[in-house]
Each structure stands twice: as structure tokens, then as C-alpha cells.
Amino acid sequence: DVKVTQSSRYLVKRTGEKVFLECVQDMDHENMFWYRQDPGLGLRLIYFSYDVKMKEKGDIPEGYSVSREKKERFSLILESASTNQTSMYLCASSPSAGANYGYTFGSGTRLTVV
Amino acid sequence: AQSVTQLDSQVPVFEEAPVELRCNYSSSVSVYLFWYVQYPNQGLQLLLKYLSGSTLVKGINGFEAEFNKSQTSFHLRKPSVHISDTAEYFCAVSGPNDYKLSFGAGTTVTVRA
């Protein structure tokens, strides 16, 4: 069964810490995405990557960066965590043909910044 | 750019009753439309998608949706719900050649016995 695996289900971090959220997919997909999910706001795109070492900003990139050194792994980095980054973070992947193939999502990482 | 609006944030429904979740989109180009479901403490799972062709799309778990270009809508329906359909449902849109999906705010469906 194809999978997108997020390394942590729950994380609690302190304000100002550097936080790494890891995502790994085993489907050989070219595209990978990071979304955050907040009640009443749905999913908002933070960053996406369409190839190794390639990335593009999504709708809300401020305060975040990403890294994609290998095709299967896409990391989201909070350079200095703040309380307004408390949220559910969802990773997804899709084949290179585009969004019409649909995404495969991970189970999410619920991050709390205190 | 494309966007979607889900018209209901919460939909309570009794078991075995029908349910309809409303989704409207805005776009100046042709679109692809999707419905995803998120069960408690899980990621999102694709229910169904419209790419082209027949405007009535059937998905998993007995759900179906109808694409209506004149009304720019893609409403999701199920004729008889089960307790296990309690979940959050997201409508999403992309344009042709887009990598990314734009999601609505979500509709929480609560099925009661």
C-alpha cells in the first residue's frame, strides 16, 4: 500500500525553537506539499516541491522554509517557532502529471508551540 | 486562480437519512474538482474527482457528486448515511496543468443514531 509518512503525530515545542517536520513518501512521486490545517480555514498551502532541490512558495510561506535533498523526503522547517504556528500540518505527494491525479496525504503532525 | 467555497460549516444528520454538502467554485478556466474526507485523527482520503466527461461522478463509500458548470457547483451527496460517515469533508479545485489544489474550509458531518 502506498504511503506518506510523517515522522511525528504530536509535537510540543517552545517559542523560539527551530522545529523540523519530516515527511517521507514511498511512491516515487515528483511533487510534495506542506499544508497547515486550522478550524474554519481548511487547508492552506505553505510550500511545495516539484523536484529534488526545487521548491515554490505557497499561499502562507512566512515563517517557514523547506528542504528536499532526496526525492522521497520533504522537510518543513520553522526557523523560530511562534504560538501562531500551533496547528495541524499535513504532508502530501502526487505524481508529476499534476493535481488531477489527486494527492496522497500523511496522517498529520499536530504541533503545539508554548 | 481558482478557489472554492463550502457553504455549510456543520451538517448534523440522522443515520439512514440523505445528506448533501454544497461546494461552489470560482475560476476563469476549466477546472478539476475533488472531494476529500478526513476521519477523526487521520489524514485526508480522496472520495471522488471530476476531470471531464459525465457530470455525475461516483466515488467510494456510496458518495456521488454532480458538476454543474452553469452554477459553478460541485455538490456531494449520499442517499443514506451511516454513523461511520461522521467526518470532515473538503472540496478542492485545481486548474489544468496545476500542481496544486486549493481547498475549501471544510464541512463537518455528524451522523446521529
Side-chain angles (χ1 to χ4, degrees), chain B residues 10-78:
Chain B
Q10 307 234 7
V11 174
V13 59
F14 286 105
E15 193 174 20
E16 298 183 6
V19 70
E20 178 180 81
L21 308 184
R22 297 179 294 166
C23 173
N24 286 103
Y25 69 92
S26 64
S27 176
S28 58
V29 298
S30 60
V31 294
Y32 300 138
L33 290 155
F34 305 79
W35 277 99
Y36 282 83
V37 60
Q38 185 180 34
Y39 299 108
N41 299 313
Q42 296 186 26
L44 275 71
Q45 176 183 353
L46 182 65
L47 269 180
L48 49 79
K49 61 183 177 183
Y50 171 79
L51 303 181
S52 65
S54 172
T55 57
L56 184 63
V57 180
K58 294 193 181 296
I60 61 171
N61 300 339
F63 284 93
E64 63 181 31
E66 186 158 19
F67 172 63
N68 188 319
K69 188 174 182 179
S70 63
Q71 297 189 4
T72 61
S73 68
F74 190 56
H75 300 335
L76 180 71
R77 301 184 183 98
K78 185 170 182 177

Side-chain angles (χ1 to χ4, degrees), chain A residues 9-10 31 33 35 37 40-43 45 48 50 90 98-103 105-107, chain B residues 32 34 36 38 41-44 46 49 51 88 90 94 98-106:
Chain A
R9 189 76 180 92
Y10 299 95
N31 303 328
F33 307 83
Y35 285 86
Q37 180 182 6
L41 297 177
L43 278 71
L45 182 64
F48 70 100
Y50 51 90
L90 291 166
N100 54 305
Y101 279 74
Y103 289 3
F105 280 89
S107 297
Chain B
Y32 300 138
F34 305 79
Y36 282 83
Q38 185 180 34
N41 299 313
Q42 296 186 26
L44 275 71
L46 182 65
K49 61 183 177 183
L51 303 181
E88 190 160 18
F90 293 93
S94 74
D98 270 350
Y99 290 112
K100 51 185 181 174
L101 293 176
S102 296
F103 287 84

Side-chain angles (χ1 to χ4, degrees), chain A residues 4-54:
Chain A
V4 175
T5 303
Q6 295 184 231
S7 55
S8 303
R9 189 76 180 92
Y10 299 95
L11 275 180
V12 180
K13 296 292 182 180
R14 295 195 179 277
T15 302
E17 275 193 78
K18 190 169 185 177
V19 180
F20 292 85
L21 302 184
E22 306 287 346
C23 176
V24 177
Q25 52 98 359
D26 65 0
M27 296 164 285
D28 202 34
H29 284 172
E30 282 73 19
N31 303 328
M32 295 187 75
F33 307 83
W34 277 106
Y35 285 86
R36 65 176 282 176
Q37 180 182 6
D38 299 289
L41 297 177
L43 278 71
R44 293 178 291 167
L45 182 64
I46 304 172
Y47 267 96
F48 70 100
S49 169
Y50 51 90
D51 201 350
V52 175
K53 298 188 186 294
M54 306 303 289

